Amino acid sequence: MLDLSIVIVSWNVRDLLDACLASLQRAQFSLCGLDDRLPSAEIIVIDSDSSDGSADMVRETYPAVQLLPQAQNLGFSRCNNIGLARTSGRFILLLNPDTEVQPEAIGTLLDYLNANPDAGIIGPHTLNSDGSHQSTRRRFPTIWTGIFESTWLAGFAPAGMEPAYRMLDTDDCAVLDVDWVQGSALMLRREVYRTIGGLDEAYIMYSEELDYCRRAKQAGWRVVYHGGAFITHHGGQSSQQDADHSQIHFHTSKLRYFRKHHGETAYTLLRTLLLAQFGWQLALESLKGALGHKRDLRTQRVRRYWKVLRSGLKAKP
């Protein structure tokens, strides 16, 4: 059995995917086990019906990579599950295509999992494109997090809520147990996949890693953040291509999480408050536009908020 399977889901980010795969070529592992001095690995790319030549680039430049092109955009969670089903490694790394992995990072994560059999999931120290720290370790969200996160009410959040949720009171370079780690680079042992299965496909995108880590912890596994293993995450490049639907997916996924793990009352309360917030924003932006204040910007925001309201933010039970 191979030591590691790397699963990458990609949609219309050809150049970033190229940079990601190039960084993996510099990493300290051996594709297909050709060098027995290094951990053996395979790379599986699921192309979600890209139109930018991504699949052709992988075929031509990285022939050792297993390419699974899809005939339509199936969503992040489902495509990851397609990749997971093809893996053969003792460990599995779910990796975003807009990341670049530093050479020692994968070996550092593998070493930790090999030395700590009760750790089921581990995430690395993630950097922004400019080299600054990117917060990727979290505690589980409360209903208050759901109300304030990524809404216009964020500036009115209770003091200390955001630092506690993002674990900003801990050392970025530490190795510590957390509730969940961001899915841009999430390594798990095969036993976790065997025990709890794949990602919940009801999450089209967003919150799928939150749900997965919670399920893993419920099954008795530790979730760990490793501050000594570094990757760069250029962040949100696929979702930026369709910002309107990305916002809908973000909030419906959040609602799906609360419905699944906190019950119908929490879901109904949070959905009502989110819809009320977007209704208020729609009215406010419409008024500002009617008064001639940055009319193009107001028109764009009104269109986006109207789409959110029309969606109803209905999460699957």
Side-chain angles (χ1 to χ4, degrees), residues 3-316:
D3 293 306
L4 177 67
S5 297
I6 302 172
V7 176
I8 303 172
V9 174
S10 181
W11 180 62
N12 285 335
V13 285
R14 179 187 183 279
D15 292 342
L16 288 166
L17 176 61
D18 188 10
C20 176
L21 293 173
S23 76
L24 290 173
Q25 285 191 328
R26 299 187 293 269
Q28 295 175 353
F29 61 80
S30 172
L31 277 180
C32 305
L34 297 178
D35 186 344
D36 58 13
R37 297 169 299 176
L38 297 171
S40 57
E42 62 181 355
I43 302 174
I44 302 168
V45 171
I46 302 89
D47 182 78
S48 195
D49 193 29
S50 296
S51 58
D52 65 348
S54 293
D56 289 338
M57 181 275 294
V58 173
R59 290 189 189 97
E60 295 167 7
T61 310
Y62 303 97
V65 170
Q66 298 180 47
L67 176 65
L68 304 179
Q70 305 302 305
Q72 56 184 311
N73 188 343
L74 299 175
F76 185 74
S77 295
R78 185 174 177 187
C79 283
N80 264 300
N81 284 343
I82 290 171
L84 281 165
R86 291 286 292 268
T87 60
S88 58
R90 294 189 302 117
F91 302 100
I92 302 166
L93 174 62
L94 303 182
L95 187 66
N96 277 16
D98 56 356
T99 59
E100 294 182 55
V101 177
Q102 294 194 10
E104 302 83 5
I106 288 177
T108 300
L109 297 177
L110 287 173
D111 286 346
Y112 187 89
L113 290 178
N114 277 315
N116 296 271
D118 59 341
I121 293 176
I122 192 167
H125 189 157
T126 305
L127 306 176
N128 293 304
S129 301
D130 63 1
S132 60
H133 173 74
Q134 185 177 126
S135 174
T136 57
R137 58 188 185 273
R138 301 281 191 275
R139 295 185 173 95
F140 287 134
T142 65
I143 190 68
W144 291 110
T145 313
I147 292 170
F148 289 101
E149 184 188 21
S150 297
T151 71
W152 71 277
L153 286 175
F156 302 97
M161 188 197 78
E162 185 73 2
Y165 173 57
R166 294 180 177 270
M167 302 186 69
L168 300 182
D169 55 343
T170 57
D171 183 0
D172 295 338
C173 292
V175 179
L176 65 159
D177 281 38
V178 299
D179 285 339
W180 64 285
V181 290
Q182 184 174 284
S184 53
L186 186 153
M187 186 179 289
L188 61 141
R189 59 178 71 244
R190 175 161 295 278
E191 288 88 344
V192 173
Y193 177 49
R194 286 174 178 160
T195 301
I196 69 173
L199 301 180
D200 183 341
E201 295 181 9
Y203 300 96
I204 303 300
M205 58 191 301
Y206 302 116
S207 294
E208 70 286 329
E209 75 271 58
L210 163 60
D211 175 84
Y212 201 73
C213 288
R214 182 156 191 147
R215 289 160 54 201
K217 294 198 77 166
Q218 289 171 340
W221 298 100
R222 291 169 53 217
V223 177
V224 177
Y225 164 83
H226 200 305
F230 291 86
I231 72 159
T232 298
H233 180 215
H234 299 295
Q237 300 300 312
S238 291
S239 60
Q240 289 174 13
Q241 299 174 63
D242 192 353
D244 293 353
H245 283 96
S246 291
Q247 190 164 54
I248 293 170
H249 289 319
F250 178 84
H251 289 291
T252 53
S253 291
K254 178 166 63 176
L255 287 165
R256 161 71 176 165
Y257 170 82
F258 277 96
R259 186 177 210 171
K260 182 175 180 179
H261 296 287
H262 293 271
E264 287 295 321
T265 300
Y267 163 72
T268 301
L269 172 63
L270 183 55
R271 178 170 174 262
T272 300
L273 290 172
L274 288 174
L275 289 172
Q277 287 187 56
F278 280 107
W280 166 251
Q281 288 178 275
L282 175 65
L284 185 61
E285 295 296 331
S286 298
L287 177 60
K288 289 180 178 180
L291 295 174
H293 183 261
K294 297 182 180 179
R295 186 162 290 170
D296 289 345
L297 174 63
R298 306 305 171 191
T299 300
Q300 181 184 43
R301 288 180 176 176
V302 165
R303 184 184 68 247
R304 180 170 298 171
Y305 299 150
W306 179 240
K307 285 184 177 179
V308 172
L309 288 168
R310 286 186 61 188
S311 77
L313 296 180
K314 296 176 182 177
K316 292 183 179 180

